[in-house]
Amino acid sequence: MRSALALINQTLDEVLTEQEGDFEADTRWALAWFEHAGFAEGEYGVAETLSKARTPASRHGLRRAFFGLRKAAKVHLLRPDELPADWDPATDPRLNAWEVVHHLIRTLETGGESAAAGLVAKLGSHAETAAS
């Protein structure tokens, strides 16, 4: 039983790693952080280490798109309800799949299906990437 479970987990890790390779560096970083801490608060140093070691994402881009600084160098991934309501993908210079998905969630939760459909239309092909 244990060896079967180990094999299943190994195969799952391989599939997830392969899928993550399809995303840009910022999304890969967000996935790594989410795996580490979810939306919970964590140490900025860990976030920075992940940005350097696992995914070569820029720290400035990560701060802008993904996390809020909290007290004493603590950070957290922005939850959909913390994202700006006036976000416009047409003016975002650093669109990434993680951000797109969470803006779609926020829009669906606050504006319903028609608002989310409007955002999907604005996103164009970026919406397809987020759905994969």
Side-chain angles (χ1 to χ4, degrees), residues 3-13:
S3 61
L5 201 51
L7 182 59
I8 290 169
N9 285 334
Q10 178 184 351
T11 303
L12 178 61
D13 284 344

Side-chain angles (χ1 to χ4, degrees), residues 1-129:
M1 181 75 156
R2 279 190 193 149
S3 61
L5 201 51
L7 182 59
I8 290 169
N9 285 334
Q10 178 184 351
T11 303
L12 178 61
D13 284 344
E14 289 170 5
V15 168
L16 292 176
T17 299
E18 184 178 312
Q19 287 177 342
E20 285 180 17
D22 293 340
F23 296 122
E24 75 292 326
D26 289 350
T27 294
R28 288 193 313 270
W29 177 87
L31 289 168
W33 180 262
F34 190 79
E35 187 177 295
H36 170 76
F39 289 111
E41 193 173 83
E43 298 292 327
Y44 177 81
V46 174
E48 185 174 34
T49 298
L50 280 174
S51 76
K52 290 178 181 176
R54 185 162 176 190
T55 58
S58 104
R59 285 179 280 153
H60 172 71
L62 296 177
R63 267 184 249 141
R64 184 199 62 76
F66 297 115
F67 55 76
L69 288 173
R70 294 205 177 162
K71 59 190 180 297
K74 299 281 187 180
V75 297
H76 73 287
L77 279 174
L78 296 174
R79 294 181 313 273
D81 64 340
E82 295 177 291
L83 295 170
D86 63 349
W87 178 74
D88 183 355
T91 60
D92 189 332
R94 244 185 124 86
L95 267 181
N96 60 73
W98 176 273
E99 187 177 23
V100 166
V101 165
H102 288 85
H103 276 288
L104 282 167
I105 292 168
R106 177 193 51 75
T107 302
L108 181 62
E109 289 177 346
T110 61
E113 290 178 7
S114 61
L119 181 54
V120 166
K122 280 184 172 181
L123 287 165
S125 65
H126 292 288
E128 293 173 25
T129 303

